[in-house]
Amino acid sequence: MSAGRYAPSPSGDLHVGNLRTALLAWLWARHSGRDFLIRIEDLDRVRAGAEQRQLDDLRALGLDWDGSPVRQSERLGLYEAAIARLRDEGRVYECFCTRREILDAPTAPHHPPGAYPGTCRDLTEAQRAERRAERPAALRLRSEIATFTVQDAIHGTYEGAVDDFVLRRGDGVPAYNLAVVVDDAGQGIGQVVRGDDLLASAPRQAYLATLLGATPPTYVHVPLALNGAGQRLAKRDGAVTYAELREAGVDVFALITDSLGLTGASPRELLESFDPAQLPKQPWVFEPPVSSG
Ligand code: GLU
C-alpha cells in the first residue's frame, strides 16, 4: 500500500493554514489505510529551530506519523542519480539564463506565460563552453511535451503546462520539482495532499515521475487559508502560529476542525466520520486576532 505525506519547508513556523493542510493530509492518508510520512524539505531557506517547532506543532495537533521524518538535505545522492539517469537519456541541458533574461525573452506562441522560452535548448558545444565562463549553469529538463494531465480528487482531471523546468539550480542545489518527484517515488508516496497553490506544478512533477519510471501519485490539492483581504494567509497577518493562537486563548484544533465542518476531539475521532466528499471546496478565510508582538 502506498503512503501519504506532509512535506513542510522549515523556513519558519507553520501557520494555521499549513496545520490545516497537514491535518487533511493525515486524514486522507489514514482514511485510505495508508502510512503517513513526514518529509522535511530543507534544501532552501532553512530557519534555525523551525524543523523542531514544526514537528512539535504537528504533534500538538494530535498527528502521528510512520517512521522518522526524512530530510531532503540528507538525500542529495538520490537527486544526483536521477539527474544522471535523465542526462544519460539526453533529457538534460545546461541553461545560462538569468531570471531577467527569461523575463525579457520574447515568448513563442506555443509557450504559456511564464514558461521557459527555450533560449539555451539548442546551444552548440562551443557556445556552451563560452557561457560556462560567465556563470555556473542550471540544468533543465528537455521536455518533449507541452502539457500533461493529472488526476486530482478535488479538481478532477487537470491538464497543465510542462516547460523545460529546472532540475538543478545554478548554485548546485536540486530544484524543488526534481526533489519532490524523486522522494515521492522513492518513498512509495501514492497520495499527495497539499495546498492548491501547487496544483499548477503537478503536471510537471507527474511527467517527470513517468520519465523516472514511477507512477504519478493521486493528487488532492486542498483550498488554502486566506486572510480577510483575500490574500494567502501569512505570518504578518497577526497571530497565526500554533503558539501565537494558544497565547491568544484559541483552541487551534477546534478552530481547524470547525473550518472543515468536522467534529471530534482528536484526529482519530475525526476519522470515524471523515468523508472527503463533504469537505469545503472554497478557500478558508481566517481573520487572525492581532498579536501584540
Ligand atoms: N515543501 C513544500 C511547501 O512547504 C510542499 C511541497 C509538496 O507538498 O509537494 O510548500
Side-chain angles (χ1 to χ4, degrees), residues 13-291:
D13 291 347
L14 297 172
H15 63 56
V16 68
N18 305 134
L19 292 169
R20 183 177 187 257
T21 300
L23 175 64
L24 284 171
W26 185 94
L27 284 168
W28 229 285
R30 298 303 193 203
H31 177 74
S32 54
R34 288 178 160 89
D35 278 357
F36 182 65
L37 311 183
I38 301 284
R39 183 171 70 233
I40 309 294
E41 302 210 322
D42 60 348
L43 293 179
D44 209 18
R45 292 174 291 121
V46 171
R47 187 157 192 161
E51 174 187 322
Q52 193 54 50
R53 287 198 302 277
Q54 292 186 338
L55 295 176
D56 290 347
D57 289 352
L58 296 173
R59 256 187 230 107
L61 209 60
L63 304 187
D64 60 359
W65 47 88
D66 297 283
S68 303
V70 304
R71 287 189 200 91
Q72 291 191 321
S73 58
E74 293 166 1
R75 299 165 66 82
L76 297 177
L78 295 172
Y79 312 133
E80 285 308 315
I83 291 172
R85 171 172 172 175
L86 296 165
R87 234 180 174 156
D88 288 348
E89 293 171 354
R91 297 187 192 279
V92 177
Y93 66 89
E94 289 168 281
C95 171
F96 304 91
C97 294
T98 60
R99 209 163 286 214
R100 186 76 254 161
E101 284 166 345
I102 294 172
L103 286 174
D104 289 349
T107 45
H110 55 280
H111 285 128
Y116 180 65
T119 320
C120 292
R121 197 174 221 256
D122 298 313
L123 295 182
T124 63
E125 188 44 47
Q127 287 169 320
R128 275 194 208 106
E130 202 172 296
R131 302 289 310 265
R132 276 183 209 125
E134 288 167 28
R135 68 176 69 95
L139 298 180
R140 285 185 184 272
L141 179 72
R142 190 181 293 279
S143 164
E144 280 163 358
I145 56 168
T147 65
F148 198 77
T149 300
V150 298
Q151 299 305 323
D152 186 285
I154 294 177
H155 300 267
T157 299
Y158 175 83
E159 183 178 9
V162 179
D163 63 348
D164 287 356
F165 57 90
V166 172
L167 301 171
R168 187 168 80 202
R169 302 180 340 198
D171 62 5
V173 177
Y176 156 68
N177 277 319
L178 173 83
V180 78
V181 170
V182 168
D183 287 338
D184 285 341
Q187 296 187 282
I189 303 293
Q191 179 190 61
V192 168
V193 180
R194 60 187 180 188
D196 63 11
D197 53 328
L198 288 168
L199 177 62
S201 301
R204 288 186 184 84
Q205 295 171 6
Y207 171 59
L208 182 57
T210 64
L211 295 181
L212 292 171
T215 306
T218 299
Y219 292 100
V220 186
H221 286 96
V222 301
L224 293 180
L226 306 180
N227 67 18
Q231 299 147 339
R232 200 187 294 188
L233 191 67
K235 289 286 303 274
R236 62 176 173 278
D237 290 321
V240 291
T241 67
Y242 193 90
E244 290 164 346
L245 287 165
R246 285 301 300 268
E247 181 79 6
V250 176
D251 178 339
V252 182
F253 187 76
L255 173 71
I256 292 174
T257 52
D258 282 355
S259 81
L260 293 166
L262 301 173
T263 42
S266 69
R268 290 269 157 211
E269 262 185 59
L270 300 180
L271 264 191
E272 288 163 24
S273 57
F274 181 66
D275 177 3
Q278 298 300 317
L279 291 172
K281 300 209 168 25
Q282 299 305 314
W284 173 44
V285 177
F286 173 62
E287 304 217 33
V290 175
S291 58

